[in-house]
Amino acid sequence: MKTTETPAPLPAESGASFSKIDVAPSARPSARKKEGGVLNVFSHGVLIIWAIMVVMPLLWAVMTSFKDDSSIFGSPWSLPDKLHFDNWSRAWTQANMSDYFLNTILVVGGSLLGTLVLGSMAAYVLARFDFPGNRFIYFLFVGGMSFPIMLALVPLFYVVNNMGLLNTIHGLILVYIAYSLPFTVFFLTAFFRTLPTSVAEAAFVDGASHTRTFFQIMLPMAKPGLISVGIFNFLGQWNQYMLPTVLNTDPDKRVLTQGLVQLAVSQGYKGDWSGLFAGLVMAMLPVLAAYIIFQRQVVAGLTAGALK
C-alpha cells in the first residue's frame, strides 16, 4: 500500500507542473504581441502626423501657385477656381527665374561633379592605403565638418577676392567643393572600407594600375554610396544661401536662393503673391524630383555598410 499511495500524488504534481509550463509561455507571447501592437499603433500615428506636417505646406504652396491674388487672400484653403498658368510664366520671365535657374544649375552641377570626383579619390586612398599621416588627414576632414562656415565668411571673402574669383561662377564652384568635401570624404571613407578587397587584389594581379583599378572597378562598386552622398550634397548646395550672398553680389550671376529673396522683396511690394508662390514651387520641384528618383539608391547607400 505504501508503494501505491506514494506514487499517487506524483501524476498530480507532474500534471500541475506541466500545466504551469504550458500556461505561462502561452500568456507571455500574447502579452508581448499586445505590447508590440500598441507600439506599432503609436509609431504609425507619429509617422502619420509627421507626414501631414511635412506634406500639407508643400501641397498648399503648389495649390496657391495656381491661384490669383484675390483667391489667395479671400479663400486661402480652397482649391483654385481655375489653373492660372500665367503665374508661372510671369515668375519665369519677368522675375528672371530662368536666369537664376541657369546659374544654379551651372554652379551646383560643376561643384557636385568636382566634389564626387575629388571626394571619392581622397576617400579611397584614406580607406585602402596605410601611410604616415593617414589618420591625421582623415581627422582633418572630420574636423572640417564641425567648423562653422559663418566664422570663415570674412577671410574667405578676402581670399576669393585676392584670387580674382569674386562674383564668378567658377569661383563659387570651388568654394562649394571645399565646403562639401569634409562630409563627402567622411561618408565615402566608411563606404570604401566595406567593399571587398579581393576584387582590387585580383585586378592588381592581372596588371591593372591603381588608377584603372579605382575608376573601372572600385568606383562602379561604390555607386550606391556615390548616389547617396551626391543627393545630400545636391540638397545642401541647391539650398545654399549664405555663401553666394557673400561671394556673389553681381545681379546677373545670382543663384536661385538669392533670386527667391529678391523675388519676395519685389513681388511683395508689387502685391504679386501668386507669382511669388509660383517661383517658390519652381525652386522646390528639382529637389523633390531628385529625391523621388533616387530614393531607393539613397536607402541602399545608407544601409550598405550594415549589410557586410
Side-chain angles (χ1 to χ4, degrees):
M1 293 186 62
K2 291 182 180 180
T3 57
T4 55
E5 290 177 358
T6 53
L10 291 176
E13 292 176 0
S14 61
S17 62
F18 281 122
S19 61
K20 291 179 181 179
I21 295 174
D22 293 336
V23 172
S26 62
R28 291 175 182 175
S30 61
R32 293 177 181 176
K33 185 180 293 184
K34 186 175 181 180
E35 293 177 359
V38 173
L39 183 60
N40 288 334
V41 171
F42 177 76
S43 60
H44 282 77
V46 172
L47 290 176
I48 291 173
I49 296 174
W50 178 257
I52 293 175
M53 294 174 60
V54 172
V55 174
M56 285 301 296
L58 299 178
L59 295 179
W60 181 77
V62 174
M63 179 183 66
T64 307
S65 66
F66 291 102
K67 290 183 176 182
D68 54 1
D69 293 334
S70 59
S71 299
I72 292 176
F73 290 98
S75 54
W77 300 107
S78 63
L79 295 175
D81 52 355
K82 66 175 183 179
L83 300 179
H84 296 272
F85 290 101
D86 57 321
N87 300 337
W88 289 63
S89 61
R90 190 169 60 253
W92 185 260
T93 56
Q94 298 181 9
N96 298 324
M97 291 295 293
S98 58
D99 297 334
Y100 302 148
F101 254 95
L102 179 60
N103 294 335
T104 304
I105 291 174
L106 292 176
V107 173
V108 175
S111 60
L112 190 61
L113 179 62
T115 301
L116 291 180
V117 172
L118 296 177
S120 60
M121 294 172 66
Y124 176 74
V125 172
L126 292 175
R128 293 293 182 176
F129 298 96
D130 292 330
F131 55 91
N134 183 305
R135 302 302 296 173
F136 176 74
I137 297 175
Y138 173 74
F139 284 117
L140 279 181
F141 282 107
V142 175
M145 296 172 55
S146 61
F147 187 80
I149 192 61
M150 295 185 64
L151 296 179
L153 289 178
V154 175
L156 184 62
F157 175 84
Y158 285 105
V159 170
V160 174
N161 188 26
N162 293 333
M163 296 176 64
L165 299 176
L166 195 64
N167 298 328
T168 60
I169 296 295
H170 53 281
L172 202 57
I173 290 176
L174 294 177
V175 174
Y176 276 21
I177 292 174
Y179 172 75
S180 304
L181 269 181
F183 172 73
T184 304
V185 173
F186 170 76
F187 186 93
L188 291 180
T189 300
F191 190 87
F192 275 116
R193 286 172 181 168
T194 63
L195 299 180
T197 59
S198 58
V199 180
E201 292 174 355
F204 291 142
V205 171
D206 292 338
S209 62
H210 289 287
T211 304
R212 186 175 181 180
T213 302
F214 172 72
F215 284 103
Q216 294 187 1
I217 297 176
M218 302 305 296
L219 203 59
M221 292 176 61
K223 182 180 178 181
L226 291 174
I227 293 178
S228 299
V229 76
I231 291 296
F232 291 137
N233 285 328
F234 172 77
L235 297 178
Q237 294 174 4
W238 186 272
N239 297 322
Q240 182 60 241
Y241 175 72
M242 187 70 68
L243 290 176
T245 300
V246 175
L247 305 175
N248 186 26
T249 58
D250 189 354
D252 296 332
K253 297 179 181 178
R254 287 174 178 167
V255 295
L256 194 58
T257 51
Q258 294 175 289
L260 284 177
V261 174
Q262 182 63 29
L263 179 63
V265 174
S266 61
Q267 302 302 80
Y269 284 115
K270 296 177 182 177
D272 190 6
W273 298 100
S274 56
L276 176 59
F277 276 99
L280 177 63
V281 175
M282 286 181 186
M284 292 191 305
L285 287 180
V287 178
L288 294 176
Y291 184 77
I292 292 173
I293 294 173
F294 298 103
Q295 181 179 4
R296 292 184 178 180
Q297 287 81 353
V298 171
V299 176
L302 292 176
T303 57
L307 298 178
K308 187 180 177 181

